[in-house]
Amino acid sequence: MFIKLVITLTFATFCSAAAAKDFYVSPSGSDKLNGLSPSVNFWTKTGPFKTLDRAQQAIRQLKAAGKFNQDITVHVGKGIYQLQSALRFDDRDSGLPGQEIQWVGEKDASIISGGITLKNCQPYESDNPNKILSCPLDANTVVNIKGDNNNRLEGNAPKFELFVNDRRMHLARWPDNEWAHIRVPLNEKTHFRVFEKLPSFSGDLSKAQVHIFPGNDFYDHYAGVSTLDLDNNLITLSSEAIYNLAGGRRFYLENIKAALDNAEEWFYDQTNNKIFFIPSSNLVPKNIVLSSALNLLMINDASHISFKNLAFRYTTAHAIRVHGSNNIVFDNIEINNIAGQAINAIENTSITISNSNIHDIGYGGIFISGGDRPTLTPSNNTIDNNRISDFGSILFGLSPAIEIQGVGSEITHNLISNGNSSAIKLHGNDHLIEKNEISQVCLQIGDCGGIYSGRDWTYRGNIIRYNYLHDFLGYELDINNFKKTGSIIYRYSGARGIYIDDAASGFEVFGNILVNSGTMALQIGGGRDNRIENNLIKIDQLAILVDTRGGYFNWEIPRSSLATMPVHSAIWSKKYPALSAPMSQDTWPEGNTIQRNIIITPGVSNVSIVRYWMPKQTNTIANNLLWSTNGNIKVDFGVLETRASGGNTTWEDWISRGFETNSLIADPCINLVGNKINLTCVKSPISKIGFKPIPNDIGLIF
């Protein structure tokens, strides 16, 4: 019996071992080995491959020989795997359902790099007060480096970046840390006078470019400089600005060797093939790297592949690109020091990005699309439990941490912080945005939302639920002051917590906590059929704004979208019945519900806490609880049917008009610690409005 048991266990162990195929890769390995062992034995030619390409080739050979009948795991050992071009995956690299191919590294130790390390850096000249270092380059090192094909990146700057001790350096610039400003445009697109005095730069200025917000606070781009007229304080761009130039708008000049005078600045001397830079104060520059590879990983028409415990660094465009693929998993990965997006995934299904750390990104963090809108087929893409920070470092505006398109994606339990742009931007239908924590976003732009969508009546079925947004304001020109006085003042303002912009409709915004999240906690910009319910808002500015859009908005945009989508089909009319119903006034915000929300404010004098510009009919405002520590609640309103309006009207006057019903002013007895709601009295009045508990598990799950 004992012998039989031993034989049975031995056979079971053998079968278990045979249920998976393992390959190994290590920087100390060799592509002449068989890749079947983590340790090297040159006598038997057993040991790890040296390159990722060789491991990929081994899997393809195995599949071509008809021997793919088990899971395959590629164990990527610790070390740096330097790539000059992307590792490309297609259907030949795919797994099968229940038979996946996994690429697994050692966390924080297996690094896939598109960088080139610079050596032999020395102090520049004997008289060197700025402590400039000079690094020689081989003439062939940078000649083939390409940058992202992006019309917002024009000019003569290098296509690569410089990183020292893993910190992004900035091209030599003026002003060093602040912005310069347009005094007056001399034509619409290219020529302007500068508000500040231009420095008397010496030397070659032919490679100079500007980073500019030409006409607003949300759209920036880079342009080359045709001429710098230092005597007359004039700049002429070599290509047209995307928006018309406007007085007071900001820019800085960069890529000027004469401006190399501040820590963490650099310049590429193309003539002499040298990199010049000034390291951070009191830090020895130990790791000096140029980004070189355009991308690191490209996946097309592949499936059932996972990547775990890997780090991706140093690209001149997106780190990872995925197209037309399904069942791809990125888990516990790190992506940083990237010029473009961390992950750009177009037209995919069942893509999972989880438990990862994405930071120091030039554009946005993750862009993902999938599903089919006409049939409302979901993509089942998931972005869960990731930490995303320090994004929008190159392009500040329109570079969100996460952007989704299509149908049926889920964004859950992410921590998003410290970004120049929006946190989450969504387009399409039936997305779930749930239990994310968002803070310190919109740092360099105005007209910005922590969670943002806009410009489409047909974006229906989206749920924004149980998120915690706090502590951000935006950044924008005080345009009224500029027009009155000519003085340029930028203020921390212009952000919204949840921004349903430009006629976006059919959103459910439920159970969110918004604390000092922008100039407005929540805005509906002319949209329809939105449900704003059970949210807790604590703010010293505007809590909720519903507007009817100004004359600037082109209503043909949502009308066109409505005409091109099958809103009267069986699936659409059943799922979104309000969308196919007649509109009494299509430019009015109709069918919205605002109820059971709690608003807490210090009650700033003569400042309205809510602003409703909407028709009384079809909209519902009811059962809300408002509380001011000084008892001062003001309302700004406009009733569109009667044209009755009031600015900073009293609460009593507002209620007497019968627009808002069953709402009350009372102390909710709430002590808010982070996203945890603690009641400080036994009989809190929140029960009178039917306020429902908000879950505690918001944010990262450790």
Side-chain angles (χ1 to χ4, degrees), residues 314-329:
Y314 307 125
T315 64
T316 61
H318 311 318
I320 297 171
R321 301 186 69 173
V322 188
H323 181 264
S325 299
N326 67 85
N327 291 281
I328 307 294
V329 174

Side-chain angles (χ1 to χ4, degrees), residues 97-146:
Q99 201 171 305
E100 294 195 350
I101 297 177
Q102 302 182 64
W103 293 70
V104 182
E106 297 184 27
K107 185 170 172 54
D108 300 324
S110 302
I111 300 168
I112 301 174
S113 171
I116 298 172
T117 301
L118 302 186
K119 304 290 186 181
N120 303 316
C121 299
Q122 301 293 330
Y124 173 58
E125 300 179 344
S126 56
D127 183 16
N128 189 14
N130 289 322
K131 299 181 179 179
I132 298 172
L133 295 181
S134 171
C135 307
L137 290 178
D138 183 273
N140 298 319
T141 298
V142 298
V143 67
N144 293 318
I145 295 178
K146 297 179 180 179

Side-chain angles (χ1 to χ4, degrees), residues 135-211:
C135 307
L137 290 178
D138 183 273
N140 298 319
T141 298
V142 298
V143 67
N144 293 318
I145 295 178
K146 297 179 180 179
D148 190 26
N149 184 18
N150 189 319
N151 67 349
R152 293 173 66 187
L153 301 174
E154 300 289 342
N156 298 315
K159 302 301 183 183
F160 53 85
E161 294 185 274
L162 180 71
F163 298 86
V164 177
N165 296 350
D166 262 349
R167 287 182 60 85
R168 172 181 272 111
M169 307 290 278
H170 200 291
L171 279 169
R173 58 171 282 180
W174 174 86
D176 283 332
N177 299 302
E178 301 296 331
W179 296 87
H181 304 88
I182 299 171
R183 178 181 290 278
V184 61
L186 301 179
N187 64 22
E188 288 187 345
K189 297 287 189 179
T190 61
H191 195 38
F192 61 91
R193 191 179 302 278
V194 180
F195 189 86
E196 294 80 6
K197 180 68 178 77
L198 289 170
S200 298
F201 292 124
S202 59
D204 182 13
L205 303 179
S206 63
K207 302 296 184 183
Q209 69 177 23
V210 297
H211 181 196

